[in-house]
Amino acid sequence: AQSVTQLDSQVPVFEEAPVELRCNYSSSVSVYLFWYVQYPNQGLQLLLKYLSGSTLVKGINGFEAEFNKSQTSFHLRKPSVHISDTAEYFCAVQRGGSEKLVFGKGTKLTVNP
Amino acid sequence: GAVVSQHPSRVICKSGTSVKIECRSLDFQATTMFWYRQFPKQSLMLMATSNEGSKATYEQGVEKDKFLINHASLTLSTLTVTSAHPEDSSFYICSASVDNRMPYGYTFGSGTRLTVV
């Protein structure tokens, strides 16, 4: 069974600073990887996904993530954050052949002025 | 784009009563929908997979008699929390599979905050 570990439960940063949210997964088979963002009392919005091909994936709102198979990681990055990026971020994995998503515990990103 | 509408967004009910949450796909047909539960400051836990025209598949530890799921049409799935108790208070989110090809694309509803008093 696959699992997802988000190493940081909370990440505080100042506005316009770069940020990296870490995600590691474990799976013995090929997987698809996702990052979702959740604003308070709302559902999840897809930021980006890795399916195959280029290991650097660009998503919405200036976010990008890099798939590293040898380190089983899929870290999310943004070079300059805004106050509006304050939200909960979830990394998720989907095993090939399965329709289920397995989520990490989430990382609360707080952008301070 | 694909939109999933979830209703109500918030509901408060008395202990012992039942509550129904609706999840509708507005501009696409969803043969598969998923129901998640999210505890405060925690991740989403899959409760069940709902397939149109058949019985839902529940995850281990989820009481199927307490959380009734009906997926009667290609655009509507409902979750009914029966005989609700305060410990059922939580944030419930549905999602729908947008297409039937792997890897599936998913779109999420905006969630329902259930408070049982």
Side-chain angles (χ1 to χ4, degrees), chain A residues 32 34 36 38 41-46 49 51 88 90 94-101 103-106, chain B residues 10 32 34 36 38 41-44 46 49 51 59 91 93 102-106 108-111 113:
Chain A
Y32 306 112
F34 305 82
Y36 287 90
Q38 183 182 35
N41 293 311
Q42 293 189 28
L44 275 69
Q45 180 181 4
L46 180 66
K49 59 185 176 184
L51 307 179
E88 190 88 25
F90 292 96
Q94 180 185 4
R95 182 171 57 89
S98 171
E99 57 187 0
K100 296 181 183 178
L101 279 176
F103 287 88
K105 292 189 174 182
Chain B
R10 290 177 179 270
T32 305
F34 305 87
Y36 294 87
Q38 185 180 28
K41 299 184 180 181
Q42 294 193 29
S43 187
L44 283 75
L46 180 64
T49 302
N51 294 294
E59 295 299 301
F91 194 59
I93 305 176
M102 283 296 293
Y104 298 109
Y106 300 94
F108 286 78
S110 55
R113 173 76 59 193

Side-chain angles (χ1 to χ4, degrees), chain B residues 16-93:
Chain B
T17 62
S18 296
V19 173
K20 180 183 286 187
I21 302 170
E22 292 188 349
C23 182
R24 293 181 184 273
S25 57
L26 296 186
D27 49 2
F28 67 100
Q29 294 184 328
T31 53
T32 305
M33 290 186 173
F34 305 87
W35 287 95
Y36 294 87
R37 182 173 181 176
Q38 185 180 28
F39 292 99
K41 299 184 180 181
Q42 294 193 29
S43 187
L44 283 75
M45 300 300 296
L46 180 64
M47 298 174 66
T49 302
S50 166
N51 294 294
E52 186 269 335
S54 63
K55 291 184 178 181
T57 303
Y58 290 82
E59 295 299 301
Q60 191 173 8
V62 177
E63 299 177 63
K64 60 182 67 177
D65 294 331
K66 180 162 191 63
F67 299 100
L68 299 179
I69 292 173
N70 184 285
H71 193 159
S73 77
L74 286 171
T75 59
L76 175 64
S77 177
T78 61
L79 168 67
T80 301
V81 183
T82 63
S83 187
H85 289 101
E87 57 264 31
D88 299 324
S89 298
S90 193
F91 194 59
Y92 294 87
I93 305 176

